[in-house]
mmCIF file of all heavy atoms in Angstrom:
data_model
loop_
_atom_site.group_PDB
_atom_site.id
_atom_site.type_symbol
_atom_site.label_atom_id
_atom_site.label_comp_id
_atom_site.label_asym_id
_atom_site.label_seq_id
_atom_site.Cartn_x
_atom_site.Cartn_y
_atom_site.Cartn_z
ATOM 1 N N LEU A 79 105.999 83.920 77.778
ATOM 2 C CA LEU A 79 105.421 83.792 76.448
ATOM 3 C C LEU A 79 106.371 83.115 75.468
ATOM 4 O O LEU A 79 105.954 82.328 74.618
ATOM 5 C CB LEU A 79 105.024 85.175 75.909
ATOM 6 C CG LEU A 79 103.829 85.840 76.615
ATOM 7 C CD1 LEU A 79 103.621 87.253 76.103
ATOM 8 C CD2 LEU A 79 102.561 85.020 76.440
ATOM 9 N N LEU A 80 107.668 83.412 75.585
ATOM 10 C CA LEU A 80 108.660 82.763 74.722
ATOM 11 C C LEU A 80 108.700 81.255 74.983
ATOM 12 O O LEU A 80 108.765 80.460 74.029
ATOM 13 C CB LEU A 80 110.036 83.370 74.951
ATOM 14 C CG LEU A 80 110.253 84.759 74.340
ATOM 15 C CD1 LEU A 80 111.584 85.351 74.863
ATOM 16 C CD2 LEU A 80 110.279 84.709 72.824
ATOM 17 N N ILE A 81 108.624 80.872 76.232
ATOM 18 C CA ILE A 81 108.639 79.442 76.568
ATOM 19 C C ILE A 81 107.356 78.767 76.079
ATOM 20 O O ILE A 81 107.395 77.716 75.459
ATOM 21 C CB ILE A 81 108.837 79.262 78.090
ATOM 22 C CG1 ILE A 81 110.217 79.753 78.518
ATOM 23 C CG2 ILE A 81 108.645 77.791 78.479
ATOM 24 C CD1 ILE A 81 110.411 79.803 80.037
ATOM 25 N N VAL A 82 106.238 79.402 76.368
ATOM 26 C CA VAL A 82 104.948 78.819 75.975
ATOM 27 C C VAL A 82 104.844 78.709 74.447
ATOM 28 O O VAL A 82 104.340 77.733 73.924
ATOM 29 C CB VAL A 82 103.777 79.698 76.516
ATOM 30 C CG1 VAL A 82 102.455 79.275 75.903
ATOM 31 C CG2 VAL A 82 103.692 79.581 78.023
ATOM 32 N N GLY A 83 105.380 79.730 73.748
ATOM 33 C CA GLY A 83 105.336 79.718 72.278
ATOM 34 C C GLY A 83 106.097 78.574 71.646
ATOM 35 O O GLY A 83 105.805 78.195 70.505
ATOM 36 N N CYS A 84 107.059 78.039 72.379
ATOM 37 C CA CYS A 84 107.818 76.885 71.856
ATOM 38 C C CYS A 84 107.004 75.606 71.847
ATOM 39 O O CYS A 84 107.314 74.667 71.117
ATOM 40 C CB CYS A 84 109.079 76.656 72.686
ATOM 41 S SG CYS A 84 110.274 78.005 72.589
ATOM 42 N N PHE A 85 105.979 75.555 72.691
ATOM 43 C CA PHE A 85 105.288 74.284 72.897
ATOM 44 C C PHE A 85 103.813 74.311 72.508
ATOM 45 O O PHE A 85 103.218 73.269 72.220
ATOM 46 C CB PHE A 85 105.378 73.867 74.387
ATOM 47 C CG PHE A 85 106.778 73.623 74.848
ATOM 48 C CD1 PHE A 85 107.526 74.627 75.443
ATOM 49 C CD2 PHE A 85 107.368 72.388 74.675
ATOM 50 C CE1 PHE A 85 108.815 74.397 75.870
ATOM 51 C CE2 PHE A 85 108.658 72.150 75.078
ATOM 52 C CZ PHE A 85 109.374 73.146 75.682
ATOM 53 N N PHE A 86 103.224 75.499 72.470
ATOM 54 C CA PHE A 86 101.783 75.583 72.232
ATOM 55 C C PHE A 86 101.458 76.377 70.967
ATOM 56 O O PHE A 86 102.189 77.296 70.587
ATOM 57 C CB PHE A 86 101.065 76.233 73.431
ATOM 58 C CG PHE A 86 100.962 75.329 74.645
ATOM 59 C CD1 PHE A 86 101.938 75.382 75.598
ATOM 60 C CD2 PHE A 86 99.928 74.422 74.779
ATOM 61 C CE1 PHE A 86 101.878 74.561 76.725
ATOM 62 C CE2 PHE A 86 99.849 73.595 75.874
ATOM 63 C CZ PHE A 86 100.818 73.659 76.857
ATOM 64 N N ASP A 87 100.346 76.026 70.345
ATOM 65 C CA ASP A 87 99.812 76.779 69.246
ATOM 66 C C ASP A 87 99.586 78.251 69.654
ATOM 67 O O ASP A 87 99.157 78.511 70.791
ATOM 68 C CB ASP A 87 98.501 76.138 68.771
ATOM 69 C CG ASP A 87 97.813 76.947 67.692
ATOM 70 O OD1 ASP A 87 98.164 76.771 66.512
ATOM 71 O OD2 ASP A 87 96.920 77.751 68.058
ATOM 72 N N THR A 88 99.828 79.181 68.733
ATOM 73 C CA THR A 88 99.690 80.588 69.048
ATOM 74 C C THR A 88 98.288 80.915 69.556
ATOM 75 O O THR A 88 98.122 81.612 70.561
ATOM 76 C CB THR A 88 100.005 81.457 67.789
ATOM 77 O OG1 THR A 88 101.320 81.179 67.376
ATOM 78 C CG2 THR A 88 99.877 82.927 68.127
ATOM 79 N N GLY A 89 97.261 80.445 68.844
ATOM 80 C CA GLY A 89 95.893 80.713 69.244
ATOM 81 C C GLY A 89 95.568 80.167 70.624
ATOM 82 O O GLY A 89 94.949 80.871 71.455
ATOM 83 N N ALA A 90 96.007 78.947 70.903
ATOM 84 C CA ALA A 90 95.745 78.328 72.226
ATOM 85 C C ALA A 90 96.433 79.123 73.329
ATOM 86 O O ALA A 90 95.859 79.349 74.400
ATOM 87 C CB ALA A 90 96.209 76.881 72.215
ATOM 88 N N ALA A 91 97.687 79.533 73.087
ATOM 89 C CA ALA A 91 98.440 80.292 74.097
ATOM 90 C C ALA A 91 97.747 81.620 74.420
ATOM 91 O O ALA A 91 97.627 82.016 75.592
ATOM 92 C CB ALA A 91 99.858 80.537 73.607
ATOM 93 N N ILE A 92 97.264 82.283 73.388
ATOM 94 C CA ILE A 92 96.566 83.564 73.587
ATOM 95 C C ILE A 92 95.284 83.358 74.387
ATOM 96 O O ILE A 92 95.009 84.060 75.385
ATOM 97 C CB ILE A 92 96.233 84.238 72.232
ATOM 98 C CG1 ILE A 92 97.512 84.724 71.568
ATOM 99 C CG2 ILE A 92 95.246 85.406 72.424
ATOM 100 C CD1 ILE A 92 97.315 85.188 70.131
ATOM 101 N N LEU A 93 94.528 82.350 74.002
ATOM 102 C CA LEU A 93 93.206 82.120 74.616
ATOM 103 C C LEU A 93 93.324 81.671 76.087
ATOM 104 O O LEU A 93 92.473 81.979 76.887
ATOM 105 C CB LEU A 93 92.455 81.079 73.818
ATOM 106 C CG LEU A 93 91.944 81.554 72.461
ATOM 107 C CD1 LEU A 93 91.634 80.388 71.545
ATOM 108 C CD2 LEU A 93 90.713 82.428 72.619
ATOM 109 N N ILE A 94 94.421 80.978 76.410
ATOM 110 C CA ILE A 94 94.594 80.511 77.781
ATOM 111 C C ILE A 94 95.181 81.627 78.661
ATOM 112 O O ILE A 94 94.662 81.893 79.752
ATOM 113 C CB ILE A 94 95.529 79.287 77.845
ATOM 114 C CG1 ILE A 94 94.829 78.076 77.192
ATOM 115 C CG2 ILE A 94 95.894 78.947 79.287
ATOM 116 C CD1 ILE A 94 95.749 76.878 77.043
ATOM 117 N N LEU A 95 96.224 82.288 78.185
ATOM 118 C CA LEU A 95 96.985 83.212 79.020
ATOM 119 C C LEU A 95 96.445 84.626 79.050
ATOM 120 O O LEU A 95 96.515 85.305 80.081
ATOM 121 C CB LEU A 95 98.448 83.216 78.581
ATOM 122 C CG LEU A 95 99.254 81.922 78.803
ATOM 123 C CD1 LEU A 95 100.637 82.062 78.235
ATOM 124 C CD2 LEU A 95 99.299 81.572 80.298
ATOM 125 N N ALA A 96 95.961 85.120 77.899
ATOM 126 C CA ALA A 96 95.556 86.522 77.833
ATOM 127 C C ALA A 96 94.476 86.887 78.836
ATOM 128 O O ALA A 96 94.627 87.899 79.572
ATOM 129 C CB ALA A 96 95.129 86.875 76.402
ATOM 130 N N PRO A 97 93.388 86.113 78.948
ATOM 131 C CA PRO A 97 92.368 86.507 79.969
ATOM 132 C C PRO A 97 92.894 86.436 81.393
ATOM 133 O O PRO A 97 92.474 87.218 82.252
ATOM 134 C CB PRO A 97 91.253 85.437 79.744
ATOM 135 C CG PRO A 97 91.455 84.933 78.358
ATOM 136 C CD PRO A 97 92.948 84.961 78.149
ATOM 137 N N MET A 98 93.832 85.516 81.677
ATOM 138 C CA MET A 98 94.366 85.383 83.034
ATOM 139 C C MET A 98 95.337 86.527 83.368
ATOM 140 O O MET A 98 95.385 86.989 84.505
ATOM 141 C CB MET A 98 95.046 84.050 83.199
ATOM 142 C CG MET A 98 94.090 82.847 83.282
ATOM 143 S SD MET A 98 94.880 81.391 83.985
ATOM 144 C CE MET A 98 96.124 81.021 82.772
ATOM 145 N N LEU A 99 96.129 86.960 82.381
ATOM 146 C CA LEU A 99 97.171 87.967 82.647
ATOM 147 C C LEU A 99 96.695 89.394 82.391
ATOM 148 O O LEU A 99 97.354 90.343 82.842
ATOM 149 C CB LEU A 99 98.389 87.689 81.757
ATOM 150 C CG LEU A 99 99.166 86.423 82.130
ATOM 151 C CD1 LEU A 99 100.237 86.108 81.080
ATOM 152 C CD2 LEU A 99 99.860 86.588 83.502
ATOM 153 N N MET A 100 95.542 89.563 81.715
ATOM 154 C CA MET A 100 95.063 90.906 81.455
ATOM 155 C C MET A 100 94.842 91.740 82.706
ATOM 156 O O MET A 100 95.303 92.896 82.783
ATOM 157 C CB MET A 100 93.774 90.828 80.629
ATOM 158 C CG MET A 100 93.105 92.159 80.368
ATOM 159 S SD MET A 100 94.040 93.199 79.216
ATOM 160 C CE MET A 100 93.355 92.632 77.661
ATOM 161 N N PRO A 101 94.175 91.203 83.770
ATOM 162 C CA PRO A 101 93.994 92.063 84.976
ATOM 163 C C PRO A 101 95.309 92.506 85.590
ATOM 164 O O PRO A 101 95.424 93.668 86.035
ATOM 165 C CB PRO A 101 93.242 91.121 85.929
ATOM 166 C CG PRO A 101 92.566 90.120 85.034
ATOM 167 C CD PRO A 101 93.507 89.900 83.918
ATOM 168 N N THR A 102 96.303 91.626 85.608
ATOM 169 C CA THR A 102 97.601 91.986 86.162
ATOM 170 C C THR A 102 98.271 93.064 85.317
ATOM 171 O O THR A 102 98.837 94.032 85.838
ATOM 172 C CB THR A 102 98.524 90.750 86.228
ATOM 173 O OG1 THR A 102 97.870 89.713 86.947
ATOM 174 C CG2 THR A 102 99.842 91.109 86.919
ATOM 175 N N ALA A 103 98.202 92.885 83.989
ATOM 176 C CA ALA A 103 98.802 93.879 83.086
ATOM 177 C C ALA A 103 98.138 95.260 83.239
ATOM 178 O O ALA A 103 98.822 96.274 83.273
ATOM 179 C CB ALA A 103 98.696 93.407 81.634
ATOM 180 N N LEU A 104 96.824 95.261 83.364
ATOM 181 C CA LEU A 104 96.100 96.518 83.549
ATOM 182 C C LEU A 104 96.504 97.191 84.876
ATOM 183 O O LEU A 104 96.621 98.421 84.940
ATOM 184 C CB LEU A 104 94.601 96.290 83.520
ATOM 185 C CG LEU A 104 93.995 95.829 82.162
ATOM 186 C CD1 LEU A 104 92.513 95.538 82.315
ATOM 187 C CD2 LEU A 104 94.247 96.884 81.099
ATOM 188 N N ALA A 105 96.759 96.363 85.874
ATOM 189 C CA ALA A 105 97.162 96.910 87.176
ATOM 190 C C ALA A 105 98.528 97.591 87.082
ATOM 191 O O ALA A 105 98.809 98.539 87.823
ATOM 192 C CB ALA A 105 97.212 95.788 88.227
ATOM 193 N N PHE A 106 99.367 97.123 86.167
ATOM 194 C CA PHE A 106 100.675 97.766 85.933
ATOM 195 C C PHE A 106 100.612 98.913 84.933
ATOM 196 O O PHE A 106 101.607 99.484 84.566
ATOM 197 C CB PHE A 106 101.665 96.714 85.441
ATOM 198 C CG PHE A 106 102.272 95.866 86.537
ATOM 199 C CD1 PHE A 106 101.813 94.583 86.763
ATOM 200 C CD2 PHE A 106 103.300 96.356 87.339
ATOM 201 C CE1 PHE A 106 102.379 93.801 87.756
ATOM 202 C CE2 PHE A 106 103.853 95.586 88.334
ATOM 203 C CZ PHE A 106 103.387 94.282 88.552
ATOM 204 N N GLY A 107 99.394 99.211 84.459
ATOM 205 C CA GLY A 107 99.209 100.334 83.523
ATOM 206 C C GLY A 107 99.521 99.992 82.085
ATOM 207 O O GLY A 107 99.737 100.877 81.269
ATOM 208 N N VAL A 108 99.504 98.699 81.742
ATOM 209 C CA VAL A 108 99.783 98.265 80.358
ATOM 210 C C VAL A 108 98.488 98.380 79.531
ATOM 211 O O VAL A 108 97.452 97.865 79.928
ATOM 212 C CB VAL A 108 100.282 96.803 80.314
ATOM 213 C CG1 VAL A 108 100.591 96.380 78.890
ATOM 214 C CG2 VAL A 108 101.519 96.663 81.194
ATOM 215 N N SER A 109 98.544 99.067 78.443
ATOM 216 C CA SER A 109 97.396 99.185 77.528
ATOM 217 C C SER A 109 97.057 97.812 76.935
ATOM 218 O O SER A 109 97.944 97.035 76.593
ATOM 219 C CB SER A 109 97.742 100.160 76.379
ATOM 220 O OG SER A 109 96.887 99.951 75.286
ATOM 221 N N PRO A 110 95.770 97.483 76.795
ATOM 222 C CA PRO A 110 95.386 96.225 76.154
ATOM 223 C C PRO A 110 95.962 96.055 74.774
ATOM 224 O O PRO A 110 96.349 94.951 74.366
ATOM 225 C CB PRO A 110 93.860 96.313 76.115
ATOM 226 C CG PRO A 110 93.487 97.212 77.254
ATOM 227 C CD PRO A 110 94.609 98.224 77.306
ATOM 228 N N LEU A 111 96.077 97.175 74.014
ATOM 229 C CA LEU A 111 96.658 97.102 72.664
ATOM 230 C C LEU A 111 98.140 96.751 72.735
ATOM 231 O O LEU A 111 98.656 95.932 71.969
ATOM 232 C CB LEU A 111 96.458 98.427 71.952
ATOM 233 C CG LEU A 111 95.025 98.834 71.656
ATOM 234 C CD1 LEU A 111 94.966 100.229 71.076
ATOM 235 C CD2 LEU A 111 94.349 97.834 70.730
ATOM 236 N N HIS A 112 98.841 97.392 73.662
ATOM 237 C CA HIS A 112 100.264 97.111 73.854
ATOM 238 C C HIS A 112 100.464 95.662 74.292
ATOM 239 O O HIS A 112 101.337 94.958 73.757
ATOM 240 C CB HIS A 112 100.853 98.078 74.883
ATOM 241 C CG HIS A 112 102.305 97.892 75.134
ATOM 242 N ND1 HIS A 112 102.885 98.159 76.364
ATOM 243 C CD2 HIS A 112 103.308 97.469 74.335
ATOM 244 C CE1 HIS A 112 104.186 97.908 76.289
ATOM 245 N NE2 HIS A 112 104.462 97.470 75.080
ATOM 246 N N LEU A 113 99.637 95.214 75.240
ATOM 247 C CA LEU A 113 99.712 93.830 75.707
ATOM 248 C C LEU A 113 99.486 92.837 74.563
ATOM 249 O O LEU A 113 100.179 91.839 74.450
ATOM 250 C CB LEU A 113 98.698 93.587 76.817
ATOM 251 C CG LEU A 113 98.682 92.170 77.401
ATOM 252 C CD1 LEU A 113 99.967 91.909 78.193
ATOM 253 C CD2 LEU A 113 97.451 91.983 78.310
ATOM 254 N N GLY A 114 98.512 93.172 73.702
ATOM 255 C CA GLY A 114 98.216 92.297 72.563
ATOM 256 C C GLY A 114 99.394 92.107 71.624
ATOM 257 O O GLY A 114 99.715 90.992 71.203
ATOM 258 N N ILE A 115 100.079 93.205 71.314
ATOM 259 C CA ILE A 115 101.239 93.128 70.409
ATOM 260 C C ILE A 115 102.406 92.428 71.066
ATOM 261 O O ILE A 115 103.121 91.657 70.422
ATOM 262 C CB ILE A 115 101.643 94.531 69.918
ATOM 263 C CG1 ILE A 115 100.459 95.212 69.226
ATOM 264 C CG2 ILE A 115 102.820 94.448 68.947
ATOM 265 C CD1 ILE A 115 99.819 94.391 68.103
ATOM 266 N N VAL A 116 102.604 92.637 72.370
ATOM 267 C CA VAL A 116 103.653 91.920 73.110
ATOM 268 C C VAL A 116 103.375 90.420 73.082
ATOM 269 O O VAL A 116 104.274 89.593 72.813
ATOM 270 C CB VAL A 116 103.759 92.420 74.574
ATOM 271 C CG1 VAL A 116 104.661 91.512 75.384
ATOM 272 C CG2 VAL A 116 104.316 93.845 74.601
ATOM 273 N N PHE A 117 102.117 90.037 73.312
ATOM 274 C CA PHE A 117 101.721 88.643 73.252
ATOM 275 C C PHE A 117 102.039 88.061 71.876
ATOM 276 O O PHE A 117 102.718 87.035 71.741
ATOM 277 C CB PHE A 117 100.215 88.521 73.502
ATOM 278 C CG PHE A 117 99.885 87.942 74.850
ATOM 279 C CD1 PHE A 117 99.845 88.748 75.979
ATOM 280 C CD2 PHE A 117 99.563 86.611 75.003
ATOM 281 C CE1 PHE A 117 99.501 88.237 77.227
ATOM 282 C CE2 PHE A 117 99.219 86.087 76.215
ATOM 283 C CZ PHE A 117 99.195 86.876 77.341
ATOM 284 N N ILE A 118 101.527 88.694 70.858
ATOM 285 C CA ILE A 118 101.620 88.164 69.499
ATOM 286 C C ILE A 118 103.042 88.108 68.989
ATOM 287 O O ILE A 118 103.443 87.147 68.329
ATOM 288 C CB ILE A 118 100.702 89.003 68.562
ATOM 289 C CG1 ILE A 118 99.221 88.741 68.921
ATOM 290 C CG2 ILE A 118 100.944 88.689 67.089
ATOM 291 C CD1 ILE A 118 98.253 89.762 68.386
ATOM 292 N N ALA A 119 103.823 89.166 69.277
ATOM 293 C CA ALA A 119 105.216 89.179 68.820
ATOM 294 C C ALA A 119 106.029 88.075 69.472
ATOM 295 O O ALA A 119 106.853 87.429 68.818
ATOM 296 C CB ALA A 119 105.839 90.546 69.106
ATOM 297 N N ASN A 120 105.818 87.838 70.776
ATOM 298 C CA ASN A 120 106.552 86.777 71.464
ATOM 299 C C ASN A 120 106.155 85.412 70.918
ATOM 300 O O ASN A 120 107.021 84.552 70.662
ATOM 301 C CB ASN A 120 106.246 86.808 72.975
ATOM 302 C CG ASN A 120 107.175 87.736 73.732
ATOM 303 O OD1 ASN A 120 108.345 87.424 73.932
ATOM 304 N ND2 ASN A 120 106.663 88.885 74.128
ATOM 305 N N LEU A 121 104.877 85.185 70.730
ATOM 306 C CA LEU A 121 104.409 83.881 70.253
ATOM 307 C C LEU A 121 104.785 83.650 68.797
ATOM 308 O O LEU A 121 104.917 82.497 68.373
ATOM 309 C CB LEU A 121 102.884 83.782 70.428
ATOM 310 C CG LEU A 121 102.413 83.802 71.891
ATOM 311 C CD1 LEU A 121 100.905 83.886 71.978
ATOM 312 C CD2 LEU A 121 102.895 82.568 72.648
ATOM 313 N N ALA A 122 105.028 84.753 68.058
ATOM 314 C CA ALA A 122 105.497 84.592 66.665
ATOM 315 C C ALA A 122 106.849 83.904 66.625
ATOM 316 O O ALA A 122 107.122 83.090 65.720
ATOM 317 C CB ALA A 122 105.580 85.966 65.994
ATOM 318 N N ILE A 123 107.721 84.202 67.602
ATOM 319 C CA ILE A 123 109.029 83.540 67.652
ATOM 320 C C ILE A 123 108.865 82.041 67.849
ATOM 321 O O ILE A 123 109.644 81.241 67.343
ATOM 322 C CB ILE A 123 109.890 84.128 68.780
ATOM 323 C CG1 ILE A 123 110.153 85.599 68.526
ATOM 324 C CG2 ILE A 123 111.217 83.402 68.871
ATOM 325 C CD1 ILE A 123 111.064 86.271 69.561
ATOM 326 N N GLY A 124 107.819 81.677 68.598
ATOM 327 C CA GLY A 124 107.569 80.254 68.829
ATOM 328 C C GLY A 124 107.361 79.444 67.573
ATOM 329 O O GLY A 124 107.603 78.239 67.520
#
């Protein structure tokens, strides 16, 4: 996410990566809310 945030718009990065990574994150027991904040905080640095 840090690398992607350097090159892509925040909205585009979320829309592309979040649906693809959500099943994997859920399999690791990550809450969707927690995943959302991790996504947004990382992309904010971008």
Side-chain angles (χ1 to χ4, degrees):
L79 291 174
L80 285 170
I81 294 171
V82 169
C84 294
F85 297 94
F86 287 93
D87 174 85
T88 301
I92 290 171
L93 289 160
I94 292 172
L95 293 176
M98 288 198 295
L99 290 171
M100 176 70 87
T102 307
L104 293 176
F106 279 101
V108 181
S109 159
L111 296 174
H112 181 211
L113 181 67
I115 303 306
V116 169
F117 253 83
I118 290 164
N120 273 286
L121 295 172
I123 298 182

